[in-house]
Amino acid sequence: MSQYYTSTDHFVLIPALMLALFGCAVLLFDFLIFPHPKQRKWLIVFLIIGEIFTGAGLWRQQSFLSSYGLNELTAFNGTLTIDGFALFFNWLFVLLSVLVAIVSYRYLEIENEHHGEYYGLILLAQCGMFFMATGTDLITLFLGLELTALSFYVMVGFLRTQKRSNEAAMKYLLLGAFSSGLLVYGFSLFYGLSGSTKIVDVADALAAREPGDPLVVLAMAAVAVGVLFKVSAAPFHMWAPDAYEGAPTTITAFLATGSKAASFAFLMRIFLGPLESARPTWEPLLIGAAVLSLFIGNIAAVTQTNVKRLLAYSSISHAGYILLGLIAGNETGLIGVAVYVAVYAFMTLGAFLVLVALRRRDLIGEDIEDLAGLMESSPGYAVLMLIFMLSLAGIPPTAGFIGKYYILLALIQTGHYTLAVIAAVFVAVAIYYYFRIVRAMFVSERKETAPLASTFGIKVALAVSGVLTLGIGIYPDPFLRMAGFSLIR
Amino acid sequence: MMEQLWLIPALPLAGFVVNGVLGRRVSKAVVHTVAIGTVALSFLWVLKTLSALMPLETAHVERYGTWIASGSLEFALEFAVDRLTAVMLLVVTGVGLVIHIYSVGYMAHEGGYYRFFAFLNLFMFFMLTLVLANNFLLLFVGWEGVGLCSYLLIGFYFLRRSATTAGNKAFIVNRIGDFGFSLAMFLMVVTFGSLDFAKVFPAVEKMPVEAAAGVVTAICLLLFVGATGKSAQIPLYVWLPDAMEGPTPVSALIHAATMVTAGVYMIARSWPLFTHAPLAMDVVATIGLLTALVAATIGMTQFDIKKVFAYSTVSQLGYMILGVGVGAFGAGIFHLVTHAFFKALLFLGSGSVIHALSGEQDLRKMGGLRKHTPITFVTLVCAGVAIAGVPPFSGFFSKDEILLAAHHHHPWMYWIGALTAGITAFYVFRAIFLCFFGEYRGEGRPHESPPSMTIPLIVLAALSLGGGFLPVPHFLDPVFPAMEGQHESALVFVSVALGLAGIGVAAWFYVLRPGLADRVAASLGGLYRLVYNKYFVDEIYWAAVVRPVVGGSRTLLWRVMDAGVIDGIVNGIGGRARDAGRLVRLLQSGNIRSYATWVLLGSVFAIIGMGLAGGLR
C-alpha cells in the first residue's frame, strides 16, 4: 500500500467497494449467468449477499471505533470520515435497500419490466448514498450525490412503456440537473473562498470572513437551494409529486426514504460543517423553507386522490419538520433529526409497500378508492396501514410521535415558540388527510375482490417496517441511544 | 445476579402469540397444550426463581432498560420480587394453572376455543406484569391490561347481548377507577418527581404523618378510587355481579382469585403511603366493611348460583380492604390467598354443577345433586366450611386475623365484621343446600364432570382446607410494619359461633323445614324486595348517572357540540384547506418550465433574504 492508498483508506472504503462491486456484478450476472427471466429472482439473493458484505464492513468499522474509543476515523487525506453519523445513516441505507429489493420481484413482473439492471442500480444508488453520508469533502459529497441521482433518474423511468414514468424521469432529470448546477456553482465559490475542497478548511475560511460578505451569501444561497431541492423542501419541491407518482411504486418508496435520508445526511454535513459559523445568515432561509414546506405539503395533500401523490406531499411536509430540528440546532434537535429521518423512512416505506401489494395485474391500486374496504378483504394489511398512518400523523404510541415529540421539544427548549405552534397546528391538518385513507379502509364498502399481490418478500418487509414503527413508539429507548450515538461531534 | 424474572410473564405472552396467530388452524389439543404448557413453565420458573432467591428478606430487582425518559422524569423497565410479590406470583401462577387445566373440560364444547385460551394467557401476562412491576407506571400497564382481558372475556359469548353489555359495564365502571389511579400517578410525579417504588416510598417515609388532609391523603384516596373500581368496592362494585356473564373459569380466575384482588395488592404495596395518611386509611376500612356487609346481605337473596358467589366475592374483597385499611396488611394478603383457593373452588364447583345441568344456573331448578355429582358436592362443602370460617380450615385463620385487627382499630368494626361472617356462612350453605339436598327440581339428566375438571376441584379443596396453615402472615412480616396490640381469644369464639349459627340457620331453612324460607321472605315484605333487588343500586345509577350522561351526550355533546361546533370547525378547516389546496394545485401545473421558474424565483428570494438577514453591504 502506498501513501495514496493506506490500509485505513481501504478499511473505510470497504462498504462502498462492496456496493460498487456487487452492483456491477449484478449487471454482468444478469446476462452471463441468469439469462432467463425466471432466474432473475436469484439476483435478489445476490444483492442480499452484497448487503451482508457491506454490513460486515460497517460492523467492523463500528467495532473498531468503539473498541478504540474513537469518535471518528478519517481516510483519503480527510475526504471520507467514518463516525457515528455515517454509520447510523449507512445502516439505514442497508436496511432500506434490502427491504425495497425483496418487494420488487412480483411488482416488476406485473409491470412486465423485470430486468437485472434494477438491482444493480439499487446497489449503485446506495453506493452514492454511502459517499453522501460519509464524505467530508465537497467533491466526494457531490460525486455521491450525482451517483445517487443518476441511478434514480434511470430507476424512476424504469417503466419504459408508460408515459407517466418517462415523463417523471424527464422532469426529475431536468430539474435535478438544474439544481445540481446551482449546487456546484455554490461549491465552486466555496473553493474560491477557501482554496480547498475539504469542509473543515471551508469552515475555517468562512468563519474568518465577516458575516454578510456578499460572496459568502451568494455561495451559501446557491448551496442551500441545491440542497433544499434534493430534500424536496418547498419552494423547490415541484419535482417530487410528479416523480413520486410516475416512478414504479417500489422506486418511489426508495426515493422517498433512502434518497431523502441521504439528502438529509448531505444537508447536515454541509450545514453543520462549513456553514455552522454562518448560522444567523442561513437560519431565516431554512425557517422560511420549513414553514413553507409544512404549509404546501400539508395543504396540497388534502385535495389529493392518488395515494402516491398524497404521500409525496406528506413527504414534503415531513421535510419541513426535519428542517425545524436543524433550526433548533441543540442536542435534542439534532438527535431529533436523526430520529425523525429514520422513523420517517420506516413508516413511509411501510405505507408505500402496502401500495405495492395493491398493484395487481388489472388494477393500479394507487387511488384512495382502491383501498376501500381493505379491512374486510385483507385485515392484516389494513391494520399495518393504520399503524403507518397513525405514525405519519404523529399519534402515540407510534414512532412518528417520538420523532415529532423530539422536534417540538427542541423548538421549545431553544425558545422557538412560534415555530412550535405552527408545527403543532399542521399536525392537526395532517390528521385530516391521513384519516381519509383510514376511513376508506375501515368504513367504505369494499369494491375490489381480486386478492392482493402479496409475496413472501412483501410480508417480510411489511412486518419489519410495522415492527419498527410500532416498536420504536412503545419502547423508544434503545433507538434513541443509537440516534444519540449519531451526533456529529 | 439475574434470575431472568422477565420469563415469568413472557412465557404466557408467548402462549398468547402462538395461539392468537396459529390457534385457528391447529387442533384443540394443540391449543390447550400450548396454553397450559406456558403457564406451567411460568409456574415452574416462579418456583425455581423463588427457591434461588430465598430467604428474600430484601427485594430482588432486575432492570432491563429505560422505558421512557423525558427530561428529569425516567421510567425504567424493572421487575422486582420481594416476599409480597412472591406470594402473589405463587397464587397467580398456581391457581392460574389449575384453572387453565379445568378449562379444558369446561370449554370442550364451546366455540372460540383458541380465542378463549389466548385471552386467558394474555391475562396471565398482564397480571404477572402487574405484580412484578417496580414502579407505578408499569403496574398501571398491567392494571389496564388485565382490565382489557377481563372485558374481552366477560364478552366472550359476544353473540349474547347481555354478555356484551356486561363487558361494557365492567369496562366503563373501571374507567372511573382508573381515572382516579391516573390522577394519583400525576400527583405522585408532581410531589415526588418519580413513580419508582424505590424513590416514592423512601421519600414519603421522610415526611411526617398527616394529621389532617394533605397531599399524601389525596394520593391515597385517588389510589383507593382505582382500587374500588378494580376490586369492586362501594360505589363501583356494580360491574362484578354482571361480569358473571363470562365463562365460569374466567369468573374463577379473573373475577374471584386474581384480578379483582389487584386493588388489595396495590394498597398493600403502597403501605408507606397509606400509613402516612390515617384519614385515608379510615376511609378505606369503612368502605371495605360497608361493602362486606351490603354485598353479603344481597348474596342471601339471590337465586343464580354464580350471582350468589359473585356477591360473596364482593363481600370477601370488602374484608381484604378492611384488613389493609386497619393496617393489617399481612392479614389482608393472607385472606387474599385463602380466598383465592376457596372462591376459585366455589366458582369451579358451581361451574361443574352448571356443566352437569347443561347450562342451568338457577338454584330453584337444582336440588338433590349430591347423588349425581358426589365429587363436586364434597369439594363445594370443603369450600363452604373454609369461607364460613369454621376452624381449622383456611378461611378461619385469615378472616379472624382481619377481624381481630379491626377490633383493635375500632370495636364496632369487629362486630359488623363478625355479623357479616355469620351472613356469609348462611348464604354459602343456603346455596349448597339448595343445590345438593332435597329433591331434584330440574329437567335433564345431571352427570359428574370429567377428571380434567374434578381433579382441579380436589386440588383446590385440599388447599381450601389446609391453606390456613400456610405461614403467610409470618412470611410477610419483613415487608410490612409490625402490628401492635394483643389478641383477645374470646372474640374468636364469637365469630366462629356466628359462622356456625349461619350454617345452622341455613340447614334449618333449606333442609329441615323447606318452605320456611319463603314464608320468612314474604313476612319481611318490602325489606326483602329491597335486598332482593340489590337495593336498587343499578336503577339509582341508571337514573342518577347513566341517563343524564347519555341524554346530555345525545343532546348537548352530540347534536350541539359535535355536530354543530366541532364538525363546523373541522369542516371549516377542511374546506379552507381544500380551497387553499386548489390554489397550490394551480402552481403544480405539470409544466417543467414553470417548475424551473419557481426554483429560480426561490433562489432569488433566498439570496435576498439571506442578504438582508446577514446585513448585506
Side-chain angles (χ1 to χ4, degrees):
Chain A
M1 298 272 175
S2 70
Q3 55 171 324
Y4 300 109
Y5 191 74
T6 63
S7 55
T8 313
D9 294 345
H10 185 66
F11 184 63
V12 167
L13 199 61
I14 277 186
L17 280 178
M18 287 299 154
L19 289 169
L21 199 69
F22 274 82
C24 296
V26 164
L27 297 178
L28 280 177
F29 277 27
D30 183 36
F31 65 93
L32 286 183
I33 301 180
F34 305 122
H36 196 269
K38 282 275 165 209
Q39 296 169 329
R40 286 195 184 120
K41 59 182 161 193
W42 290 106
L43 292 174
I44 301 180
V45 176
F46 193 68
L47 178 141
I48 291 173
I49 295 171
E51 295 288 357
I52 291 172
F53 277 97
T54 312
L58 293 172
W59 179 254
R60 283 184 56 206
Q61 291 169 352
Q62 184 157 354
S63 44
F64 182 82
L65 286 185
S66 62
S67 61
Y68 288 90
L70 297 173
N71 276 338
E72 57 177 31
L73 186 65
T74 54
F76 292 105
N77 216 358
T79 53
L80 286 181
T81 303
I82 285 291
D83 50 11
F85 179 84
L87 287 169
F88 180 84
F89 276 94
N90 273 307
W91 283 120
L92 186 64
F93 301 149
V94 168
L95 183 64
L96 293 173
S97 299
V98 171
L99 293 183
V100 167
I102 61 176
V103 301
S104 300
Y105 174 64
R106 173 74 63 85
Y107 181 84
L108 292 178
E109 263 190 350
I110 291 174
E111 299 282 5
N112 282 323
E113 296 286 355
H114 196 230
H115 309 292
E117 299 93 305
Y118 180 87
Y119 303 106
L121 286 169
I122 287 183
L123 286 168
L124 290 177
Q126 197 196 336
C127 184
M129 294 176 194
F130 173 88
F131 288 109
M132 287 166 82
T134 315
T136 40
D137 181 282
L138 297 178
I139 302 286
T140 333
L141 283 170
F142 185 71
L143 281 178
L145 182 76
E146 283 304 292
L147 179 53
T148 310
L150 285 171
S151 310
F152 270 107
Y153 298 147
V154 182
M155 287 194 282
V156 167
F158 210 74
L159 307 179
R160 292 170 303 170
T161 53
Q162 286 188 17
K163 204 177 138 208
R164 208 164 59 133
S165 181
N166 288 322
E167 188 188 323
M170 186 53 81
K171 282 181 181 168
Y172 185 29
L173 170 68
L174 288 175
L175 290 171
F178 186 40
S179 75
S180 288
L182 281 170
L183 183 70
V184 90
Y185 177 63
F187 278 3
S188 72
L189 286 175
F190 278 163
Y191 178 71
L193 288 166
S194 60
S196 165
T197 55
K198 275 187 216 144
I199 57 175
V200 214
D201 300 336
V202 176
D204 291 342
L206 290 189
R209 293 204 159 237
E210 274 181 56
D213 184 326
L215 262 184
V216 177
V217 168
L218 192 61
M220 237 190 291
V223 169
V225 169
V227 177
L228 289 175
F229 175 89
K230 294 294 174 196
V231 300
S232 71
F236 315 106
H237 66 281
M238 297 285 196
W239 61 277
D242 291 0
Y244 281 28
E245 189 189 345
T249 311
T250 47
I251 289 309
T252 311
F254 198 35
L255 185 62
T257 57
S259 170
K260 187 103 149 189
S263 303
F264 268 107
F266 182 94
L267 184 148
M268 304 255 287
R269 282 278 186 215
I270 302 272
F271 275 85
L272 298 178
L275 299 187
E276 178 62 37
S277 59
R279 181 176 269 275
T281 318
W282 55 255
E283 208 174 59
L285 174 69
L286 283 200
I287 290 178
V291 173
L292 204 57
S293 301
L294 286 178
F295 179 78
I296 290 188
N298 282 310
I299 294 297
V302 169
T303 54
Q304 301 303 322
T305 52
N306 181 302
V307 183
K308 274 164 86 175
R309 237 181 142 72
L310 188 152
L311 288 173
Y313 281 109
S314 119
S315 121
I316 293 168
S317 74
H318 287 295
Y321 283 109
I322 299 172
L323 287 177
L324 288 180
L326 190 66
I327 290 161
N330 61 353
E331 194 180 306
T332 319
L334 297 182
I335 291 180
V337 169
V339 168
Y340 206 113
V341 168
V343 156
Y344 158 81
F346 301 143
M347 60 201 187
T348 306
L349 185 75
F352 277 116
L353 292 186
V354 173
L355 294 187
V356 171
L358 281 167
R359 174 74 170 108
R360 285 153 280 180
R361 283 256 173 246
D362 46 356
L363 183 76
I364 299 183
E366 287 175 10
D367 276 336
I368 292 185
E369 286 176 16
D370 295 332
L371 285 155
L374 192 67
M375 185 60 199
E376 206 181 321
S377 50
S378 320
Y381 284 86
V383 169
L384 278 168
M385 191 67 163
L386 171 68
I387 293 172
F388 299 133
M389 289 299 129
L390 288 174
S391 184
L392 284 164
I395 292 169
T398 56
F401 168 74
I402 305 288
K404 287 215 169 63
Y405 171 75
Y406 262 76
I407 301 285
L408 289 175
L409 184 68
L411 286 175
I412 288 166
Q413 280 173 351
T414 50
H416 292 91
Y417 299 113
T418 322
L419 285 179
V421 170
I422 293 174
V425 165
F426 278 112
V427 172
V429 177
I431 290 173
Y432 175 76
Y433 60 81
Y434 290 126
F435 272 70
R436 279 174 60 207
I437 295 179
V438 174
R439 192 178 68 175
M441 291 192 302
F442 285 80
V443 181
S444 301
E445 285 289 313
R446 174 179 173 187
K447 288 201 189 105
E448 271 309 320
T449 46
L452 296 190
S454 82
T455 59
F456 181 67
I458 290 185
K459 282 181 188 160
V460 170
L462 268 175
V464 171
S465 7
V467 165
L468 284 169
T469 305
L470 204 56
I472 292 173
I474 292 171
Y475 185 33
D477 195 63
F479 179 72
L480 291 177
R481 252 183 288 138
M482 269 168 55
F485 171 71
S486 82
L487 285 183
I488 299 181
R489 276 166 240 279
Chain B
M1 200 182 65
M2 295 288 268
E3 290 293 339
Q4 311 301 346
L5 293 177
W6 61 274
L7 270 175
I8 297 170
L11 283 164
L13 181 66
F16 161 71
V17 171
V18 170
N19 273 339
V21 174
L22 301 173
R24 202 194 301 235
R25 281 170 227 164
V26 296
S27 69
K28 285 186 172 182
V30 177
V31 168
H32 66 235
T33 310
V34 169
I36 295 173
T38 52
V39 176
L41 285 175
S42 181
F43 178 57
L44 291 176
W45 197 255
V46 169
L47 291 180
K48 185 209 159 274
T49 313
L50 293 184
S51 63
L53 290 176
M54 275 303 152
L56 201 61
E57 260 146 14
T58 51
H60 166 79
V61 181
E62 281 185 10
R63 185 189 174 91
Y64 304 110
T66 308
W67 180 20
I68 303 167
S70 171
S72 63
L73 205 58
E74 193 189 275
F75 302 111
L77 277 181
E78 265 183 2
F79 282 159
V81 178
D82 62 357
R83 288 188 167 195
L84 173 59
T85 301
V87 170
M88 292 301 291
L89 283 177
L90 286 171
V91 170
V92 172
T93 53
V95 176
L97 177 61
V98 170
I99 293 172
H100 270 73
I101 295 170
Y102 174 92
S103 305
V104 173
Y106 189 84
M107 298 301 288
H109 312 302
E110 306 282 348
Y113 197 71
Y114 79 95
R115 196 159 54 90
F116 177 83
F117 277 103
F119 288 159
L120 220 52
N121 271 358
L122 184 66
F123 166 78
M124 293 295 285
F125 162 70
F126 280 122
M127 190 68 205
L128 291 166
T129 307
L130 193 159
V131 297
L132 281 166
N134 199 29
N135 59 51
F136 279 100
L137 194 65
L138 202 54
L139 189 150
F140 191 64
V141 170
W143 184 274
E144 288 294 298
V146 292
L148 171 71
C149 296
S150 156
Y151 163 77
L152 290 170
L153 285 164
I154 293 170
F156 182 74
Y157 302 115
F158 54 81
L159 292 178
R160 215 160 62 198
R161 196 178 166 78
S162 57
T164 52
T165 315
N168 288 341
K169 186 173 177 182
F171 204 71
I172 294 166
V173 172
N174 267 296
R175 289 277 74 65
I176 301 171
D178 296 348
F179 183 60
F181 197 138
S182 358
L183 287 183
M185 286 200 293
F186 294 141
L187 207 51
M188 272 190 267
V189 169
V190 173
T191 314
F192 305 110
S194 175
L195 289 177
D196 281 357
F197 295 156
K199 288 193 187 125
V200 173
F201 297 154
V204 78
E205 298 278 11
K206 292 198 194 86
M207 296 166 76
V209 174
E210 279 177 0
V215 66
V216 179
T217 310
I219 291 173
C220 289
L221 286 176
L222 287 168
L223 283 177
F224 182 58
V225 171
T228 56
K230 193 69 62 191
S231 291
Q233 297 298 295
I234 289 176
L236 299 181
Y237 70 94
V238 289
W239 66 271
L240 186 57
D242 287 22
M244 297 303 133
E245 287 288 344
T248 306
V250 171
S251 310
L253 177 62
I254 301 183
H255 304 122
T258 53
M259 182 192 85
V260 288
T261 61
V264 182
Y265 165 77
M266 187 263 288
I267 294 177
R269 171 60 72 201
S270 325
W271 69 264
L273 286 164
F274 279 87
T275 46
H276 278 69
L279 200 65
M281 291 280 273
D282 277 339
V283 173
V284 172
T286 314
I287 294 277
L289 187 63
L290 207 59
T291 309
L293 178 66
V294 168
T297 54
I298 300 175
M300 287 197 293
T301 58
Q302 299 301 305
F303 285 107
D304 181 323
I305 185 166
K306 283 180 74 182
K307 283 272 164 77
V308 174
F309 295 147
Y311 279 104
S312 160
T313 305
V314 176
S315 169
Q316 298 295 313
L317 287 167
Y319 270 118
M320 296 174 213
I321 295 284
L322 169 67
V324 295
V326 297
F329 298 103
I333 295 295
F334 188 25
H335 196 56
L336 185 160
V337 175
T338 58
H339 174 257
F341 299 149
F342 59 68
K343 186 52 62 66
L345 177 54
L346 280 175
F347 272 112
L348 295 188
S350 67
S352 177
V353 169
I354 295 165
H355 191 74
L357 300 175
S358 311
E360 184 55 65
Q361 303 195 5
D362 194 331
L363 284 167
R364 285 167 294 197
K365 296 195 178 139
M366 298 178 184
L369 291 179
R370 70 177 185 277
K371 298 182 211 80
H372 303 286
T373 58
I375 302 175
T376 307
F377 165 63
V378 173
T379 51
L380 266 185
V381 170
C382 294
V385 292
I387 193 175
V390 177
F393 307 121
S394 61
F396 162 72
F397 293 97
S398 53
K399 192 184 289 183
D400 260 20
E401 281 217 32
I402 291 177
L403 288 178
L404 291 174
H407 184 264
H408 182 73
H409 196 68
H410 279 304
W412 63 270
M413 286 187 163
Y414 168 82
W415 291 107
I416 294 182
L419 174 67
T420 307
I423 300 175
T424 305
F426 171 78
Y427 68 68
V428 169
F429 275 89
R430 166 179 171 270
I432 290 175
F433 291 142
L434 277 174
C435 180
F436 292 102
F437 287 82
E439 291 299 311
Y440 179 53
R441 297 180 291 273
E443 299 109 41
R445 296 181 57 82
H447 57 90
E448 182 61 288
S449 301
S452 71
M453 289 167 70
T454 48
I455 291 170
L457 292 181
I458 295 166
V459 171
L460 285 172
L463 287 168
S464 301
L465 295 182
F469 295 101
L470 294 173
V472 174
H474 177 67
F475 180 69
L476 290 174
D477 275 345
V479 182
F480 296 123
M483 285 283 291
E484 71 271 30
Q486 301 129 338
H487 288 174
E488 294 179 49
S489 47
L491 293 173
V492 176
F493 292 110
V494 176
S495 60
V496 169
L498 278 168
L500 291 174
I503 299 176
V505 172
W508 190 43
F509 271 33
Y510 297 98
V511 182
L512 303 176
R513 296 277 175 80
L516 181 62
D518 290 339
R519 287 203 298 280
V520 173
S523 70
L524 286 173
L527 182 65
Y528 177 79
R529 275 198 301 280
L530 179 68
V531 180
Y532 178 73
N533 287 308
K534 309 152 200 165
Y535 301 103
F536 296 100
V537 169
D538 275 331
E539 285 75 9
I540 294 169
Y541 282 4
W542 175 257
V545 182
V546 179
R547 227 177 41 181
V549 168
V550 171
S553 307
R554 282 233 174 93
T555 52
L556 184 68
L557 292 181
W558 179 24
R559 301 242 165 77
V560 179
M561 276 305 287
D562 198 44
V565 179
I566 296 178
D567 282 5
I569 293 174
V570 170
N571 291 339
I573 291 181
R576 295 297 85 73
R578 219 181 273 266
D579 296 343
R582 281 196 206 99
L583 277 180
V584 176
R585 237 175 158 169
L586 286 181
L587 303 181
Q588 193 80 25
S589 58
N591 184 333
I592 194 145
R593 270 163 300 179
S594 80
Y595 291 4
T597 314
W598 279 105
V599 174
L600 203 63
L601 276 178
S603 325
V604 171
F605 275 115
I607 294 170
I608 295 172
M610 286 168 80
L612 289 177
L616 188 67
R617 282 162 299 172

